[in-house]
């Protein structure tokens, strides 16, 4: 394993070096939080694909392939569909807003009355997303070094917190690009063909497995529908995803770069399912489907290649973890703390804002590591995150983009009713049940429409300013107060 260890250590050292390099570039709030809004198509596509294809997409995607066959691709496939929908229909308008958070968008659209509550919901989502990614370090480092779970989480989490705190979005973008390349080589170009060959090719796989393993809908229509609700719609509104859209150099970059990233996700989904199906042929009696990735890597890959593929898994986890962490810190600082202080600093000192955001990344990072150590069930944590996001925020965000009659009171009612319904239904039916997201979303929609129609329309001046911002005719107001304080 010495060669494999060397590959991993070099990779981890490279991540820290890029964090240090990124620190030299992140001299303003814009540079630190959204990479100066300067990413071109290639870097934008790579970083967008990296943020959405995390440990759940890699280790979990292979596990679903092991359990269900080719239809196990649907979870990651719906993530790709969400990125495609976001890129084609919404990303250009989102990029032109020149904001930093989803809550700032809601403030602009509704006149500054929906921000802090939506900020709390978004913060909870990004926190749990960062926690679930951090928990995944335990699996990878256990395979690599046979490390204790707590030590593994601290080791992986500390490295991500370090480079994220140093350089913000510039460090994360640079590391994401490396992680994107490592994932492409490790999973698509090495693990996929080796797994299929070791399993005897597709003819042998078909001969040894039930026909349901090759049914595209074998996982079940209700499960696919739930994936669409949670992941496809979740991709449309998550702060971690929007913050990447904000890094685009232009709305054209956001649209076409995101389309490339979404297409890459579809390919990655199918690859993961095929690898899992091959693992089922090779190791039919694993205790857990989620062990399929680590088992096939450890047992069937040659020295050196094994280290690269494990680095690919580590890259997948780190990219999602760092993206969720900076999103969590951005929301905590800009949407919650700055509002609770009662005023936003007007001195225009960008350097101080960089310090503040850096401190919040460090604080949130320590909190994420501690929560990950205390929490065991990754699936439940991720489900809670996406149920809250979709049930509480999907309707007011998409409603604000698509329906001019939507009002601040309607948005606020939608967030509160939808969030409360999701929490109540999870307590009643169980966290993993489908009912919370189904009925939470419906109640959120009903509250939004009814309250919006029953209240005074949004002020014409607010809508006019919103349309100007959507058209890209209003400059970014980086150091001015948020609309809630105007």
């Amino acid at each position: 394993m010495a060669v494999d260890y060397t590959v991993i250590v070099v990779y981890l050292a490279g991540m820290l070096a890029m964090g240090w390099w990124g620190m030299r570039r992140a001299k303003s709030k814009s540079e630190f939080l959204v990479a100066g809004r300067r990413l071109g198509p290639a870097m934008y596509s790579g970083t967008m694909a990296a943020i959405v294809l995390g440990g759940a997409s890699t280790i979990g995607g292979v596990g679903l392939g092991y359990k269900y066959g080719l239809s196990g691709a649907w979870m990651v496939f719906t993530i790709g569909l969400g990125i495609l929908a976001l890129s084609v229909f919404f990303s250009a308008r989102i990029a032109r807003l020149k904001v930093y958070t989803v809550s700032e968008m809601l403030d602009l659209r509704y006149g500054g009355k929906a921000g802090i509550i939506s900020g709390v919901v978004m913060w909870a989502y990004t926190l749990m997303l960062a926690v679930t990614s951090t928990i995944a370090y335990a699996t990878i480092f256990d395979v690599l070094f046979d490390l204790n779970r707590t030590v593994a989480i601290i080791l992986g989490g500390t490295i991500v917190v370090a480079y994220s705190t140093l350089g913000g979005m510039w460090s994360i973008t640079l590391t994401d690009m490396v992680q994107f390349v490592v994932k492409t080589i490790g999973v698509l170009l090495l693990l996929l063909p080796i797994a299929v060959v070791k399993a005897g090719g597709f003819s042998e796989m078909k001969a040894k497995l039930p026909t349901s393993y090759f049914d595209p809908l074998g996982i079940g229509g209700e499960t696919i529908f739930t994936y669409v609700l949670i992941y496809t719609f979740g991709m449309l509104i998550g702060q971690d995803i929007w913050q990447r859209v904000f890094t685009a150099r232009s709305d054209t970059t956001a649209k076409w770069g995101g389309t490339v990233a979404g297409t890459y996700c579809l390919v990655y989904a199918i690859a993961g399912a095929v690898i899992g199906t091959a693992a089922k042929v090779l190791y039919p009696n694993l205790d857990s489907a989620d062990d399929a990735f680590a088992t096939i890597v450890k047992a069937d890959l040659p020295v050196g290649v094994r280290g690269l593929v494990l680095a690919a898994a580590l890259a997948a986890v780190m990219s999602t973890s760092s993206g969720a962490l900076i999103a969590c810190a951005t929301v905590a600082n800009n949407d919650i703390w700055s509002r609770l202080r009662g005023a936003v600093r007007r001195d225009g000192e960008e350097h101080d804002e960089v310090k503040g955001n850096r401190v919040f990344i460090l604080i949130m990072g320590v909190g994420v590591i501690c929560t990950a150590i205390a929490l065991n069930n990754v699936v439940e944590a991720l489900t809670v995150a996406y149920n809250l996001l979709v049930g509480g925020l999907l309707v007011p965000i998409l409603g604000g983009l698509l329906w001019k009659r939507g009002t601040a009171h309607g948005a606020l009612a939608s967030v509160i009713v939808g969030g409360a319904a999701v929490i109540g239904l999870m307590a009643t039916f169980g966290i993993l049940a489908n009912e919370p997201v189904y009925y939470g979303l419906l109640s959120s929609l009903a509250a939004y429409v009814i309250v919006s129609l029953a209240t005074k329309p949004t002020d014409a001046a607010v809508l006019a300013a919103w349309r100007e911002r959507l058209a890209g005719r209003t400059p970014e107001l980086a150091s001015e107060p948020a609309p809630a304080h105007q």
Side-chain angles (χ1 to χ4, degrees):
M1 292 285 287
V3 176
D4 296 325
Y5 290 160
T6 302
V7 171
I8 298 296
V9 170
V10 168
Y11 167 76
L12 293 176
M15 295 301 98
L16 290 173
M18 289 189 179
W20 183 262
W21 189 86
M23 181 176 68
R24 299 171 63 186
R25 298 199 63 167
K27 301 298 184 184
S28 70
K29 179 181 179 181
S30 176
E31 295 282 352
F32 191 82
L33 294 182
V34 291
R37 308 190 196 274
R38 288 192 285 160
L39 298 192
M43 289 193 76
Y44 179 84
S45 296
T47 192
M48 180 61 84
I51 178 66
V52 297
L53 295 175
S57 299
T58 304
I59 298 169
V62 171
L64 287 171
Y66 183 89
K67 191 172 182 180
Y68 298 105
L70 298 186
S71 67
W74 273 106
M75 183 186 79
V76 183
F77 204 83
T78 55
I79 290 173
L81 292 177
I83 295 299
L84 285 172
L86 174 71
S87 302
V88 173
F89 299 113
F90 300 108
S91 63
R93 282 183 284 177
I94 292 170
R96 287 196 292 265
L97 288 174
K98 303 295 185 187
V99 295
Y100 293 102
T101 68
V102 174
S103 294
E104 285 183 54
M105 167 262 167
L106 291 172
D107 273 352
L108 286 169
R109 168 60 181 83
Y110 295 112
K113 297 175 182 176
I116 193 164
I117 293 178
S118 64
V120 170
V121 175
M122 188 63 76
W123 175 80
Y125 156 72
T126 53
L127 177 71
M128 295 312 293
L129 186 61
V131 165
T132 56
S133 302
T134 304
I135 290 172
Y137 295 128
T139 302
I140 298 168
F141 282 114
D142 179 54
V143 174
L144 280 171
F145 307 117
D146 195 26
L147 282 179
N148 171 274
R149 178 182 183 275
T150 299
V151 174
I153 288 172
I154 292 173
L155 175 60
T158 299
I159 292 170
V160 169
V161 172
Y163 73 69
S164 300
T165 302
L166 285 172
M169 187 59 82
W170 267 123
S171 294
I172 291 170
T173 297
L174 294 169
T175 54
D176 276 358
M177 283 306 299
V178 175
Q179 290 158 357
F180 172 74
V181 172
V182 170
K183 276 190 285 194
T184 301
I185 295 172
V187 176
L188 297 185
L189 302 183
L190 293 176
L191 182 57
L192 175 61
I194 290 172
V196 172
V197 169
K198 289 276 187 179
F202 284 101
S203 57
E204 188 72 14
M205 290 161 66
K206 286 185 176 181
K208 289 187 175 180
L209 294 173
T211 55
S212 62
Y213 267 70
F214 301 92
D215 178 0
L217 303 178
I219 199 169
E222 185 178 357
T223 299
I224 294 170
F225 180 67
T226 302
Y227 284 159
V228 170
L229 275 186
I230 293 178
Y231 296 113
T232 301
F233 287 123
M235 292 300 107
L236 296 180
I237 58 174
Q239 169 67 25
D240 52 324
I241 309 302
W242 277 41
Q243 201 155 343
R244 298 311 170 102
V245 175
F246 300 151
T247 66
R249 185 167 59 200
S250 66
D251 50 9
T252 303
T253 296
K255 183 174 183 178
W256 296 110
T259 301
V260 171
T263 304
Y264 180 89
C265 292
L266 303 184
V267 174
Y268 201 88
I270 296 169
V274 171
I275 292 166
T277 305
K280 183 68 175 179
V281 172
L282 294 167
Y283 308 100
N285 300 311
L286 294 179
D287 292 334
S288 169
D290 285 340
D291 292 336
F293 180 88
T295 301
I296 198 168
V297 168
K298 201 169 185 179
D300 292 289
L301 297 186
V303 172
V305 173
R306 179 171 50 203
L308 186 60
V309 173
L310 286 171
L314 199 55
V317 175
M318 283 185 157
S319 56
T320 300
S321 181
S322 59
L325 176 60
I326 193 171
C328 179
T330 303
V331 170
N333 187 20
N334 292 272
D335 292 336
I336 300 175
W337 175 242
S338 66
R339 295 164 193 268
L340 292 177
R341 275 188 321 187
V344 175
R345 194 171 301 170
R346 304 191 63 132
D347 57 13
E349 273 200 52
E350 295 280 325
H351 184 65
D352 285 348
E353 292 196 64
V354 170
K355 279 185 179 178
N357 283 293
R358 190 171 274 141
V359 167
F360 265 86
I361 290 178
L362 184 59
I363 293 170
M364 292 297 112
V366 172
V368 164
I369 291 171
C370 293
T371 307
I373 291 170
L375 206 60
N376 282 315
N377 197 312
V378 180
V379 176
E380 287 193 359
L382 197 61
T383 302
V384 169
Y386 274 100
N387 280 355
L388 279 173
L389 178 71
V390 174
L393 291 179
L394 178 69
V395 171
I397 291 172
L398 293 190
L401 290 168
L402 300 173
W403 190 41
K404 67 178 182 180
R405 185 60 181 83
T407 68
H409 292 98
L412 204 56
S414 179
V415 173
I416 294 171
V417 171
V422 164
I423 293 170
L425 290 166
M426 283 193 293
T428 303
F429 292 97
I431 289 174
L432 298 179
N434 292 328
E435 286 85 356
V437 72
Y438 290 169
Y439 298 120
L441 191 54
L442 286 173
S443 61
S444 177
L445 177 61
Y448 182 70
V449 173
I450 292 170
V451 175
S452 289
L453 292 175
T455 53
K456 184 180 176 182
T458 304
D459 186 84
V462 171
L463 286 178
W466 166 253
R467 285 192 293 269
E468 287 291 302
R469 199 69 173 252
L470 273 181
R473 291 191 287 267
T474 305
E476 180 183 355
L477 303 175
S479 57
E480 290 189 19
H485 305 295
Q486 289 180 349

